[in-house]
């Protein structure tokens, strides 16, 4: 895909703490009617969807528990705001690369990230879902071969181990150790349970090396505890 293949308008899927990065893969369970319509329209066209995060803790005003990433439930109307949630300016275009339609008309899909985009403005909603005018020209590098990477991989893995230990969850360390550097910098930001703003910072990092620095800082901060270097958390 080239920049010329990216349409000027894209259906938007706002989902908090769901990060899609170029060349990453994001599984989605789609239940809510407006997003079922979004998937159907994408499948009828170029199979493209714009993943984007709502700002702060807000979700789209009619989001339901069904529309989730990686099987995690998304909250609904309990935040109590009126109208559509404000969105971040930067999202990521995902192409539907696998799809299962269930008997009840809902979907399980996997999006593969293509390129980041800038949301210029929102257009009139279509079939209930939000539609955005977008520009991906400043992210042309997402569609090309990766850059040379320069980061301290052993330091990052050590920080990830502290982060996981601090939060009490495990990881498939053999799989992580076998990932190449680029896969590591795509996978870790997507699977680590960072907050919305932290995930957005990773998405907006200009280059892979910038992302590596941001990721290292987040892991160092999140993994710091009383047993680290003898200092209290």
């Amino acid at each position: 895909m080239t920049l010329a293949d990216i349409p000027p308008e894209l259906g938007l899927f706002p989902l908090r703490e769901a990060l899609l990065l170029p060349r990453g893969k994001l599984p989605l369970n789609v239940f809510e009617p407006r997003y079922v319509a979004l998937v159907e329209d994408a499948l009828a066209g170029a199979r493209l969807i714009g993943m984007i995060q709502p700002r702060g803790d807000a979700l789209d005003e009619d989001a339901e528990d069904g529309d989730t990433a990686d099987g995690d439930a998304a909250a609904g109307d309990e935040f109590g705001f009126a109208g559509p949630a404000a969105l971040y300016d930067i999202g990521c275009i995902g192409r539907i690369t696998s799809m299962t339609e269930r008997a009840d008309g809902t979907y399980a899909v996997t999006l593969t990230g293509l390129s980041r985009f800038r949301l210029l403005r929102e257009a009139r909603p279509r079939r209930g879902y939000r539609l955005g005018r977008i520009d991906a020209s400043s992210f042309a590098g997402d569609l090309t071969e990766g850059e040379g990477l320069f980061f301290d991989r052993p330091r990052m893995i050590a920080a990830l181990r502290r982060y996981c230990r601090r939060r009490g969850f495990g990881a498939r360390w053999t799989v992580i150790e076998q990932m190449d550097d680029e896969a590591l910098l795509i996978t870790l930001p997507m699977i680590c349970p960072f907050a919305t703003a932290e995930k957005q910072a990773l998405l907006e990092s200009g280059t892979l090396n910038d992302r590596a620095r941001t990721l290292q800082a987040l892991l160092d901060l999140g993994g710091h505890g009383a047993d680290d270097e003898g200092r209290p958390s």
Side-chain angles (χ1 to χ4, degrees):
M1 177 168 283
T2 67
L3 285 175
D5 299 315
I6 296 175
E9 285 190 347
L10 202 60
L12 303 177
F13 198 131
L15 192 57
R16 178 171 54 89
E17 296 179 9
L19 178 63
L20 178 63
L21 293 170
R23 293 182 289 281
K25 293 185 182 297
L26 179 66
L28 288 172
N29 290 310
V30 184
F31 289 82
E32 208 273 325
R34 67 171 67 191
Y35 299 119
V36 169
L38 170 59
V39 168
E40 291 173 346
D41 288 352
L43 290 170
R47 295 179 170 240
L48 302 181
I49 289 175
M51 291 301 301
I52 194 164
Q53 291 197 111
R55 290 184 179 273
D57 289 333
L59 293 177
D60 205 15
E61 75 276 19
D62 291 327
E64 296 181 354
D65 289 345
D67 302 307
T68 63
D70 297 321
D72 296 327
D77 298 330
E78 63 270 28
F79 295 107
F81 59 86
L87 304 176
Y88 278 99
D89 296 331
I90 307 298
C92 185
I93 301 168
R95 186 173 190 272
I96 299 174
T97 49
S98 72
M99 181 274 293
T100 300
E101 183 178 7
R102 303 184 182 95
D104 61 359
T106 63
Y107 291 93
V109 302
T110 297
L111 299 182
T112 298
L114 298 178
S115 169
R116 291 169 289 177
F117 66 88
R118 184 175 301 278
L119 179 61
L120 302 178
R121 64 182 183 276
E122 291 197 52
R124 184 182 298 275
R126 177 183 297 161
R127 298 182 64 194
Y129 62 82
R130 298 169 74 169
L131 194 68
R133 295 285 297 183
I134 68 165
D135 177 23
S137 60
S138 55
F139 303 108
D142 291 347
L143 298 170
T144 62
E145 292 296 323
E147 63 189 291
L149 293 175
F150 307 96
F151 72 100
D152 189 339
R153 183 186 174 105
R155 180 189 169 200
M156 182 169 289
I157 296 296
L160 178 64
R161 288 183 180 276
R162 290 193 300 272
Y163 180 89
C164 291
R165 184 171 64 249
R166 178 73 169 162
R167 279 157 176 70
F169 55 79
R172 299 173 64 185
W173 295 110
T174 301
V175 175
I176 290 172
E177 293 283 1
Q178 291 175 348
M179 289 179 184
D180 63 35
D181 288 349
E182 181 174 306
L184 193 71
L185 295 180
I186 293 170
T187 304
L188 292 187
M190 290 181 61
I191 66 174
C192 286
F194 296 128
T196 298
E198 294 170 337
K199 284 186 177 285
Q200 192 67 26
L202 288 161
L203 176 66
E204 296 186 14
S205 297
T207 67
L208 279 174
N209 284 305
D210 292 336
R211 189 188 302 164
R213 286 188 285 271
T214 302
L215 178 58
Q216 184 70 60
L218 291 174
L219 291 174
D220 286 342
L221 181 63
H224 177 67
D227 57 346
D228 298 320
E229 300 180 11
R231 296 173 302 190
S233 58

